[in-house]
Amino acid sequence: MPQPTSYPPQSLDGIWQFTFQAEQAWTDENLARLAYDDRIAVPSAFDALPAYNGRRGVGFYRRLITVPPGQRARLRFNAVGMYAKVFIDQQKVGEQYAAYTPFVVEVPKSERAERELVVMAGNRFDEALYPLHLPDYDFYAYGGIFRSVTLELLPEGELVEWVGVDTVDPDAGELLIRVRPARPGQAFHLSLDDGPTEILTATDVRDGEARLPLRRPGLSTWSPDSPALHTLAVDNGTHLHTVRFGVRRVTAAEGRILLNGKPLKLLGYCRHEAHPQFGPALPLAQLVADLHLLRDLGCNFIRGAHYQQDPRFLDLCDELGFLVFEESLGWGNKAEQLADPAFIAAQVAQTTALINSAYNHPSVILRGFLNEGQSDAAESWPCYDALIRLVRAQDPTRLVTYASNRALQDRFLEHVDVVSFNIYPGWYAADIDEECPLAEIRPRIQACLAGLRERGLAHKPFLLTEIGAGAIYGWRDPVAAHWSEDYQRDYLATVCHEVVDNPAIAGVALWQFCDGRTYRGARALRRPRAFNNKGTLDEYRRPKLAYDTVKAIFTA
Ligand code: ADA
């Protein structure tokens, strides 16, 4: 058997040339006249930098790369926002209209080794061009190469493009190895944890995917307390593809979420990838620091709001034993969008890319989409139907859900595994003249549970996937009025005690971990400082009064 070929990916992160063009149209692909008058880091959000703060247009990132003449190669971009075009030697080789979602582009072969790479990163809102991120979303839409870029040298011939590892029975070490592409009768060489190579022949092939059962009794399982990880190398004789995975099975029964048959209580936060100095392009040290803070708070659960998470963050969640709700990008999408075939296609494409690129993270136990879409309108069903079918078909090891702010008016709850509600009793209070709306928090939560029981949905686990109150960092108020740290502390104490004490609640993701920049202009009148201030920490990760209160309850 010829030795399979696998080259380690080369990082292209570092200092690139840069120019910002406020007036250049997205359709204007004339690169020849550009003067790269600036320098920038990759990864970065260019509009998190003083020269480009708040500006909208097109950022051009440029660097040279070296590819041996005649060598097959491709570039992997882990995230470019809001949308991107990629050029090699001034020829367009790829486009991407889904920020936060990885994509790859082939590098055309050349007799020359030194090649010019230019990336156009657009940050103008444009619903026709990019309907996935609209101006009313409550988080700032940055532009840039948000996450790492790598160069992969590839062998000629058929590649092992994708490998997924499903756990069938964690106790028996029974796995299903899914390999794409594949043909009936094709032989694959597998090596688990650098162990002996085993040859498996593809007999069960569906839509170009081989499904190879593999049984390894005694494989250590993945759990928050013991986050054991394994590697699997698959080669088809031409190309070697290695993945890391965890042996774990997630199920839902009798109102609880179970991991390897044991019930969980999910305690944690919703977290945006955001920082005032880096936007969504967080340095690795900040990802680690955020997870250390979440662990210090006593959390075991993170909802990655509202888009695909940095793969390094999920790798860390795998290694540290966090449990994750990951969703594709959406925010308050209305029925007319949700019924629009072009929008549905964009949602299916980005969610498919998310599933494929983040498939083997054992920490991700819940797969979501369409945060707070108009799921109380029948016209919205086509998009929910398409995405629920997609997840069930392509991502069968995770529970399907979506975060709904329609509560008991939601029309699609029967179709998901877990009911996830975003509610804000005591903040967006029913009666704005009510002096102390804290009193409405527990009754509202209990009313949701009662309503679900009446609808015959009490067997589905119930998550509070958003609940919270705003607090301006440093504002201490003897009256404990809205926007004070005191009110937020009392609010989250009420919520956390209810969650911990009430067995009918499977978990909570408090809104939110830290403050984050949001709207500009008049919309910001609802967001003091033009930030979403519901963080338990401020945007620089400085803890508010609520921090110690939540920690005391979560760690009790
Ligand atoms: C919604 C939304 C969040 C945030 C929150 C709030 O639930 O999903 O992104 O906007 O409201 O702060 O009001």
Side-chain angles (χ1 to χ4, degrees), residues 172-450:
E174 198 173 331
L175 307 174
L176 179 67
I177 312 302
R178 299 166 56 195
V179 182
R180 299 179 203 141
R183 292 174 305 283
Q186 186 171 3
F188 291 98
H189 287 226
L190 275 64
S191 167
L192 192 64
D193 294 333
D194 296 327
T197 297
E198 186 172 350
I199 301 175
L200 296 184
T201 301
T203 53
D204 178 359
V205 179
R206 304 176 202 174
D207 300 325
E209 176 185 296
R211 299 165 65 84
L212 307 165
L214 187 68
R215 191 179 178 84
R216 280 284 195 290
L219 266 185
S220 44
T221 56
W222 187 92
S223 69
D225 298 330
S226 174
L229 295 166
H230 301 278
T231 58
L232 177 72
V234 177
D235 85 62
N236 61 3
T238 302
H239 179 232
L240 184 70
H241 184 116
T242 302
V243 295
R244 190 174 77 167
F245 68 96
V247 178
R248 62 97 174 100
R249 198 150 175 273
V250 190
T251 52
E254 295 165 15
R256 300 307 295 271
I257 295 173
L258 308 168
L259 185 77
N260 301 333
K262 298 185 181 69
L264 297 168
K265 177 75 105 175
L266 301 178
L267 301 175
Y269 279 87
C270 296
R271 175 183 172 275
H272 267 298
E273 292 188 342
H275 190 284
Q277 283 157 303
F278 307 110
L282 295 183
L284 181 60
Q286 189 63 62
L287 300 183
V288 177
D290 285 358
L291 285 168
H292 279 246
L293 284 163
L294 285 158
R295 185 171 64 186
D296 182 62
L297 277 158
C299 301
N300 65 356
F301 179 50
I302 300 162
R303 176 180 171 222
H306 292 296
Y307 34 75
Q308 180 163 352
Q309 298 296 291
D310 189 318
R312 301 172 303 169
F313 186 76
L314 295 182
D315 285 341
L316 286 164
C317 289
D318 293 341
E319 294 168 29
L320 296 175
F322 281 95
L323 297 156
V324 179
F325 175 139
E326 189 182 28
E327 60 191 359
S328 49
L329 175 59
W331 193 93
N333 302 104
K334 297 294 180 275
E336 61 184 307
Q337 252 195 319
L338 297 167
D340 172 10
F343 182 78
I344 295 170
Q347 282 290 346
V348 167
Q350 73 152 341
T351 307
T352 301
L354 186 166
I355 290 169
N356 287 336
S357 59
Y359 193 80
N360 291 303
H361 289 290
S363 55
V364 180
I365 60 170
L366 292 154
R367 177 68 66 219
F369 36 76
L370 298 177
N371 171 62
E372 299 199 343
Q374 196 174 351
S375 51
D376 57 350
E379 307 89 312
S380 303
W381 174 240
C383 198
Y384 281 90
D385 181 33
L387 293 175
I388 291 168
R389 290 174 187 276
L390 172 70
V391 174
R392 293 218 184 283
Q394 296 298 327
D395 205 355
T397 74
R398 295 179 168 94
L399 300 174
V400 184
T401 186
Y402 58 84
S404 168
N405 66 342
R406 311 297 158 142
L408 299 172
Q409 284 65 50
D410 198 295
R411 299 171 70 111
F412 313 137
L413 300 177
E414 286 76 3
H415 300 280
V416 295
D417 299 317
V418 173
V419 174
S420 298
F421 280 177
N422 298 352
I423 57 172
Y424 287 89
W427 181 255
Y428 301 124
D431 173 0
I432 61 171
D433 294 323
E434 197 169 339
E435 271 297 285
C436 178
L438 286 179
E440 72 175 31
I441 295 173
R442 297 184 104 148
R444 176 84 71 77
I445 296 172
Q446 288 156 10
C448 288
L449 291 166

Side-chain angles (χ1 to χ4, degrees), residues 139-157:
F139 54 100
Y140 196 86
Y142 286 91
I145 301 180
F146 297 160
R147 299 177 191 152
S148 293
V149 183
T150 54
L151 173 66
E152 300 170 4
L153 303 185
L154 298 167
E156 298 301 332

Side-chain angles (χ1 to χ4, degrees), residues 67-73 89 106-112 115 154 156:
V67 179
Q71 166 71 46
R72 185 181 179 188
D89 302 333
E106 293 277 338
V107 177
K109 290 183 181 178
S110 164
E111 289 318 309
R112 288 185 301 107
R115 317 292 294 281
L154 298 167
E156 298 301 332

